[in-house]
Amino acid sequence: MRFAERMKRMKGREMLNMMELADRKDLISFAGGFPSPETYPMEEIKASFFRVLNEDPDGALSYSSTRGYVKLRELIARRMERNYGLDVTESDIIVTNGSQQALDLTGLLFIDKGDVVLFESPSYLGALNALKSYEPDMIAVPTDEDGICIDALKDTLEKYGQRVKLIYVIPDFQNPTGRCWSEARRRAFMELVQQYEVAVLEDAAYSELNFSGRKETPLVSMDKANQVVYCGTFSKVFCPGIRIGWIYTNPRWIDAYLLLKNNVDLSSAAITQRQMADYLLHNDLDAHIAEIIETYRARKDAMAEAFAREMPEGVSWNSPHGGLFFWVCLPEGYDAGELLKLALKENVAFVPGQGFYPNGERKHEFRMNFSNLRPEEIQEGVKRLGRVVRIFLGRAD
Amino acid sequence: MRFAERMKRMKGREMLNMMELADRKDLISFAGGFPSPETYPMEEIKASFFRVLNEDPDGALSYSSTRGYVKLRELIARRMERNYGLDVTESDIIVTNGSQQALDLTGLLFIDKGDVVLFESPSYLGALNALKSYEPDMIAVPTDEDGICIDALKDTLEKYGQRVKLIYVIPDFQNPTGRCWSEARRRAFMELVQQYEVAVLEDAAYSELNFSGRKETPLVSMDKANQVVYCGTFSKVFCPGIRIGWIYTNPRWIDAYLLLKNNVDLSSAAITQRQMADYLLHNDLDAHIAEIIETYRARKDAMAEAFAREMPEGVSWNSPHGGLFFWVCLPEGYDAGELLKLALKENVAFVPGQGFYPNGERKHEFRMNFSNLRPEEIQEGVKRLGRVVRIFLGRAD
C-alpha cells in the first residue's frame, strides 16, 4: 500500500519526541512549549464546566456550529477590539482546535504542490511540519533581533514572484528564539508585502505573554490589502487541554476556512467552547494573564541567572521579554543534537535547533523552555546542563 | 490572493447548510445526522466531568499525548475486543476529533492529486468533501441492497489499476441509504480487495446503532493484508459535543497517522478524552446503547408508518434496521432539490440526494433522518412533506 508523496517529507519526529519526553518523571525537561499547570485557574475552570453543563446540557453536548459557538466568538471579538483597537465582529472569527489547526487549515486553503512558502529562519517546528503536508517549497528568510529582514524578504519575493503564496511569521516572542519584532520592522514588513499577491499567516500564540508592559502592534491591524490571517489561542494564557484557538481574517477567506473546517472535523467541541465562553463572561482573563506573567517573569529571570552562572565561555543566549523560550547558541561546529544525547543521560532535556530551520541548515543552537518548571528546578536543570556543555565543549575541569 | 487549486472543487455547501438549518426553531428538520439530545446520559456525563476535574485537573487541562489519553485507548481496545473478537491493544489506536477527522487524515495519508478513490454510490457527503481536499478522481461504484457490487468493483479496480489508492465504505447502516452489507458481500469484498494494493477506509459510525440484534462483521476483522483502516466514534451512541472518535489499524499506518495528527492539531482535548474514559470505566455503555436503540427503533417505526400513510404512489423508501436514515426515491425525472424549496416554505426539511453521489448523477432521491425528532414530530413532519410531495408530483387533490 502506497502512502501519498507528502509522507516522504515527514521524517522529523522532534515534536512527537518532545511530547513523549513529558512523561519521563526523573527528567528535568526544558523541551516542551507548555504553559505551567500551576497557572491554570482551576477553580474558575471547574465552576465554568459545572455552569455550562447545568444551564444548557443539550447545547454543550451536541454538535457546535462549524464556525464555532457564537457567544465565544463574540467574546473573542470584543477582546481583540479592546486589546488592539480593531473593528472585529463575531462573523470575522472561526474557532479552531488550538492555533495548530489554524496553521493546517491555512496550508489547505492556500498551498498547491510546488508553491513557495516563506518562513522566518528559524521558525516554529509545528508550523513547518503542518505546512509541509501541502508540499510547498519552504524558503527561509534571514531574521535578526528586530524580526524578518526586509531587504532579504524583498529579494526573495522578487526571486520567486507569483510562486510565493504564503509568508508565515510569529512577530511576538517567537518560537523558538523568543524574539519580538520592532514596531518599525512591522510597518516595513506590511508596506512591502502589500505590494505582492501573497497571504500572511500571523501566529500570535505568544502575544499575550508580554513581560514588557508595552503592547505590540499586530500585523493584522495594518492589513490594508486584506492579506493577513491572524491566529490566536487560549493554550498559553489559559490552558491547552481544551484546545481552543481562533482565526480572524477577512470575510471572503473566513467563508473558505469554514468549508475546510467542516471537512476536517465538522466543528470544535461544543462543551469546551462553552466552558471558555463562560469563563470569559464570569472572570477577568486579563487580570489572570497579569498574574501568570509575574510567575513566568520570575522563571525567565531564574533561567537567565542560571545561564550566567553555569554556562562556559563561547555559549550565548538571548534574554526574551515575553513568550516561553530562550535560544542558546553553542560555538560553531558543535551539534546540539549530539549534546542532547549526553544531556538525556544526565536527565536534562531541550530541543535541538536544527529542526526549526526550514532547511535544517544550523546545528549549533537549541531551545530552552522556562515556563513549565519552578525556579529551583530551572536552577538544578541548568546546572546539570552546564556540566554537560562543559564536557561536550572539552572544557570540563 | 490565490487559493489552492483544491478550493475550486469545494462548492457544495450542503453540509454547512444542514448544520445551519438546525437553528430554525419553527422547522421540522429531517436534514441532520444528529443523535437526539434526549438520549445523552446527562447525569453520568456530568459526574464524569466532575470526577476528572477533581481527581487530576492538571492532566485534564494540559496537552494530551498526540496518540490520545492512554486509558481511553485501552478502554476502546477492550470494547473492540469484546464486541468483535479482535485482538486490539491501546497502541493500535489513535484518538481523533470524531470520525470526521479520521476521514480527513486518511486523505492526507494516502491521496496524491490524480489518484483514484472509490466510493459506494451514493455515499456520505462529509467523506466526499473531506477526501476531495486531496484532489483525487472520485469514482462511484454501483451499490445494491447487499452492499457494494463486487463485479462492478472488480471492473473498476482493473480499469484504474495502480491509480486506485483508497476505497471508502460504510458497511453498517450506511449514510445516506441506511443499507447494511450482507455477510456474504463483506467476505467477497475482502477477498477481492486483498488482491490489490489498495487501502480500505471502513467508516463504522453507525455500527452500534443496530436494531436487529445480530452483530455485523467488521471488514477489519477479515483484514489479512493489513489494508483496512477502521474508524469509530462516540458521537452517535453517546454524544457528539465532546468530539471523540478513533482510528484502529496496523502499527505501521498508526505511526504515520500519528505524525499527521500531530501536524493538524497536536492532540485532541485532554478533558473530553478523560471524561469519555471515566464514563466508560464507571458505566455500561452497551446497556446505554440498548436503551437508545429502543428509542430510535420507535422513531424509525413512526417514520415508516407515516410514509405509508402520507406518501403518494410512485414514491418509495427503504426500511432500515439500524442507523439514522431513510432513503426516499421520487419518480425519475423529479429533482429533490426543487422539492426542498417547496418543503422549506412548509417548514419541513431533508437533504437532497444529489450531493451524496460522487459525481452528482442522481437527483430524484433524498435523505430523511429519524433519530432527532419525537414520534409525534415525525408524524407531523411527514404529513407536511407528504402534502408538498403530492403537489410537487401534480397529484394534489
Side-chain angles (χ1 to χ4, degrees):
Chain A
M1 257 58 66
R2 298 144 292 147
F3 290 160
E5 281 293 314
R6 64 177 63 85
M7 297 308 292
K8 290 186 185 149
R9 300 187 179 202
M10 300 199 184
K11 285 166 192 149
R13 301 183 62 92
E14 293 95 339
M15 289 282 295
L16 280 167
N17 295 345
M18 212 184 300
M19 296 191 94
E20 276 163 28
L21 279 182
D23 290 340
R24 265 183 58 179
K25 290 296 170 199
D26 47 342
L27 188 77
I28 296 184
S29 177
F30 300 109
F34 307 146
S36 174
E38 294 156 68
T39 66
Y40 306 159
M42 215 63 91
E43 293 312 311
E44 292 80 359
I45 292 176
K46 281 185 204 169
S48 284
F49 271 109
F50 298 172
R51 263 195 303 268
V52 159
L53 283 165
N54 283 322
E55 285 171 8
D56 184 7
D58 285 9
L61 298 171
S62 294
Y63 288 105
S64 151
S65 74
T66 298
R67 202 184 281 272
Y69 180 48
V70 61
K71 287 188 189 159
L72 176 59
R73 289 186 287 110
E74 280 165 6
L75 287 157
I76 290 170
R78 225 172 293 157
R79 278 197 90 225
M80 290 193 71
E81 288 193 321
R82 208 170 50 231
N83 285 344
Y84 303 119
L86 291 161
D87 182 22
V88 185
T89 64
E90 51 82 13
S91 62
D92 301 327
I93 286 177
I94 287 183
V95 176
T96 57
N97 302 329
S99 55
Q100 185 71 26
Q101 187 176 50
L103 308 183
D104 178 59
L105 292 177
T106 301
L108 202 49
L109 179 54
F110 288 105
I111 304 175
D112 286 313
K113 186 173 182 165
D115 285 346
V116 169
V117 178
L118 308 184
F119 292 88
E120 293 169 90
S121 180
S123 187
Y124 168 48
L125 189 52
L128 300 181
N129 286 344
L131 295 171
K132 222 182 255 179
S133 286
Y134 305 100
E135 302 176 276
D137 291 345
M138 326 255 284
I139 306 295
V141 179
T143 308
D144 64 23
E145 289 303 313
D146 284 333
I148 203 162
C149 297
I150 301 300
D151 288 346
L153 176 61
K154 185 166 189 204
D155 290 349
T156 311
L157 285 164
E158 288 298 326
K159 178 175 172 192
Y160 293 99
Q162 285 280 310
R163 286 184 60 205
V164 184
K165 279 278 194 71
L166 182 68
I167 310 176
Y168 170 75
V169 290
I170 316 164
D172 303 328
F173 318 112
Q174 200 231 24
N175 182 354
T177 64
R179 286 172 184 160
C180 188
W181 292 17
S182 69
E183 182 74 15
R185 194 62 67 86
R186 289 166 198 254
R187 297 203 176 275
F189 174 85
M190 288 308 295
E191 267 163 39
L192 178 64
V193 299
Q194 274 155 22
Q195 298 164 36
Y196 296 85
E197 197 188 346
V198 60
V200 174
L201 176 53
E202 177 177 28
D203 183 344
Y206 310 98
S207 301
E208 301 204 58
L209 287 178
N210 183 338
F211 309 160
S212 77
R214 182 174 57 82
K215 279 231 163 71
E216 305 296 339
T217 311
L219 302 178
V220 74
S221 72
M222 301 180 259
D223 181 23
K224 289 177 197 152
N226 277 343
Q227 69 188 139
V228 178
V229 176
Y230 174 101
C231 56
T233 178
F234 293 109
S235 294
K236 311 302 182 190
V237 295
F238 184 69
C239 77
I242 57 168
R243 310 301 299 119
I244 304 281
W246 70 93
I247 290 169
Y248 162 60
T249 190
N250 66 75
R252 190 168 79 89
W253 291 9
I254 284 285
D255 255 20
Y257 275 110
L258 202 54
L259 280 171
L260 296 175
K261 171 71 179 166
N262 194 258
N263 288 351
V264 300
D265 65 6
L266 300 182
S267 68
S268 290
I271 174 76
T272 56
Q273 292 187 67
R274 281 167 185 250
Q275 183 278 324
M276 189 72 228
D278 182 276
Y279 174 87
L280 290 170
L281 209 59
H282 289 89
N283 299 276
D284 182 347
L285 179 59
D286 295 323
H288 172 68
I289 293 173
E291 274 176 41
I292 65 178
I293 281 175
E294 289 317 307
T295 304
Y296 288 168
R297 190 206 306 277
R299 293 173 182 205
K300 190 258 299 178
D301 290 344
M303 186 169 276
E305 285 159 24
F307 274 141
R309 200 166 49 235
E310 308 291 349
M311 285 296 160
E313 233 174 285
V315 179
S316 61
W317 56 90
N318 64 332
S319 195
H321 63 276
L324 302 174
F325 307 109
F326 278 76
W327 186 242
V328 185
C329 193
L330 298 169
E332 293 244 16
Y334 288 93
D335 181 344
E338 293 300 315
L339 177 65
L340 178 61
K341 290 180 195 165
L342 294 179
L344 284 172
K345 287 182 195 159
E346 298 294 320
N347 281 324
V348 57
F350 54 80
V351 187
Q354 192 179 10
F356 295 97
Y357 286 95
N359 306 304
E361 53 270 39
R362 285 162 72 97
K363 295 186 177 183
H364 63 294
E365 294 158 326
F366 59 93
R367 192 190 75 175
M368 293 277 285
N369 167 263
F370 58 79
S371 60
N372 202 12
L373 294 165
R374 280 184 292 273
E376 55 279 17
E377 292 169 311
I378 290 172
Q379 281 152 10
E380 171 58 25
V382 174
K383 193 172 170 184
R384 289 184 199 173
L385 184 63
R387 209 158 50 218
V388 175
V389 169
R390 283 195 302 276
I391 294 168
F392 188 65
L393 300 183
R395 293 176 199 173
D397 3 295
Chain B
M1 255 62 62
R2 296 145 294 145
F3 290 158
E5 281 293 315
R6 65 177 61 86
M7 297 307 292
K8 288 185 186 150
R9 300 188 179 202
M10 300 199 184
K11 285 167 193 149
R13 301 183 62 92
E14 292 94 340
M15 289 282 294
L16 280 167
N17 294 344
M18 211 183 302
M19 296 192 92
E20 276 163 30
L21 279 182
D23 289 340
R24 265 184 58 181
K25 290 295 172 201
D26 46 343
L27 188 77
I28 295 184
S29 176
F30 299 108
F34 307 146
S36 172
E38 293 156 66
T39 67
Y40 306 159
M42 215 64 92
E43 292 312 313
E44 293 81 359
I45 292 175
K46 280 186 205 169
S48 284
F49 271 109
F50 299 172
R51 264 194 302 268
V52 159
L53 284 165
N54 283 322
E55 285 170 10
D56 184 7
D58 284 11
L61 298 171
S62 293
Y63 287 105
S64 151
S65 74
T66 298
R67 203 183 279 274
Y69 179 50
V70 62
K71 288 190 189 158
L72 176 60
R73 289 186 290 111
E74 280 164 7
L75 288 157
I76 290 171
R78 225 171 292 156
R79 280 197 90 226
M80 289 192 73
E81 287 192 322
R82 207 171 51 232
N83 285 344
Y84 303 119
L86 292 161
D87 182 23
V88 185
T89 65
E90 50 83 11
S91 63
D92 302 327
I93 285 177
I94 287 184
V95 176
T96 56
N97 302 330
S99 54
Q100 185 71 26
Q101 187 177 49
L103 308 183
D104 178 58
L105 292 176
T106 301
L108 203 50
L109 178 54
F110 288 104
I111 305 174
D112 287 312
K113 185 171 183 166
D115 285 345
V116 168
V117 179
L118 308 184
F119 293 86
E120 293 168 271
S121 179
S123 187
Y124 168 47
L125 188 53
L128 302 181
N129 286 343
L131 296 171
K132 222 182 256 180
S133 286
Y134 305 100
E135 303 175 273
D137 290 345
M138 326 256 283
I139 306 294
V141 179
T143 308
D144 64 23
E145 290 304 314
D146 284 333
I148 203 163
C149 296
I150 301 300
D151 289 346
L153 176 60
K154 186 166 188 208
D155 291 348
T156 311
L157 285 163
E158 289 297 327
K159 177 173 173 191
Y160 293 100
Q162 286 280 311
R163 285 184 61 207
V164 184
K165 281 278 195 70
L166 182 68
I167 310 178
Y168 170 76
V169 291
I170 315 163
D172 303 329
F173 319 112
Q174 199 231 25
N175 181 356
T177 63
R179 286 172 184 161
C180 188
W181 292 18
S182 69
E183 183 73 15
R185 194 62 67 85
R186 288 166 199 254
R187 299 205 173 273
F189 174 84
M190 287 308 295
E191 269 162 40
L192 177 65
V193 299
Q194 276 156 22
Q195 299 163 36
Y196 296 85
E197 198 190 343
V198 61
V200 174
L201 176 54
E202 177 176 26
D203 184 344
Y206 311 98
S207 300
E208 301 204 57
L209 287 178
N210 183 336
F211 308 160
S212 78
R214 182 174 57 84
K215 279 229 163 71
E216 305 297 338
T217 311
L219 302 178
V220 76
S221 71
M222 301 180 258
D223 181 23
K224 291 175 197 153
N226 278 344
Q227 69 189 139
V228 178
V229 176
Y230 175 100
C231 57
T233 179
F234 293 111
S235 294
K236 312 301 182 191
V237 294
F238 185 69
C239 77
I242 58 169
R243 309 303 298 120
I244 305 282
W246 69 93
I247 289 169
Y248 163 61
T249 190
N250 67 76
R252 190 169 79 87
W253 291 9
I254 284 286
D255 256 19
Y257 275 111
L258 202 53
L259 279 171
L260 296 176
K261 171 71 180 167
N262 194 258
N263 289 351
V264 302
D265 64 7
L266 301 181
S267 68
S268 290
I271 174 76
T272 55
Q273 291 186 69
R274 283 168 183 249
Q275 183 278 324
M276 190 71 229
D278 181 275
Y279 174 87
L280 290 170
L281 209 58
H282 290 89
N283 299 277
D284 182 348
L285 179 58
D286 295 323
H288 172 68
I289 293 173
E291 274 177 40
I292 65 179
I293 281 174
E294 290 317 306
T295 303
Y296 288 169
R297 190 206 305 278
R299 293 173 183 204
K300 189 259 300 178
D301 290 343
M303 186 170 277
E305 284 159 26
F307 274 141
R309 201 166 47 236
E310 307 291 349
M311 285 297 161
E313 232 174 284
V315 179
S316 60
W317 56 91
N318 64 333
S319 195
H321 63 276
L324 303 175
F325 307 109
F326 278 75
W327 186 243
V328 185
C329 193
L330 299 169
E332 294 243 17
Y334 288 93
D335 180 345
E338 293 300 316
L339 176 66
L340 178 60
K341 290 181 196 165
L342 294 179
L344 284 171
K345 285 184 197 158
E346 298 294 320
N347 280 324
V348 58
F350 54 79
V351 187
Q354 191 179 9
F356 296 96
Y357 286 95
N359 306 304
E361 55 269 39
R362 284 163 72 98
K363 295 187 178 181
H364 62 294
E365 293 157 330
F366 60 94
R367 191 189 77 174
M368 293 278 285
N369 168 263
F370 59 79
S371 60
N372 202 12
L373 293 165
R374 280 185 291 272
E376 55 280 17
E377 292 169 311
I378 291 173
Q379 281 152 9
E380 171 59 25
V382 174
K383 193 170 169 185
R384 288 184 200 173
L385 183 62
R387 208 157 50 217
V388 175
V389 169
R390 285 195 299 277
I391 293 168
F392 187 64
L393 301 182
R395 294 178 200 173
D397 5 293

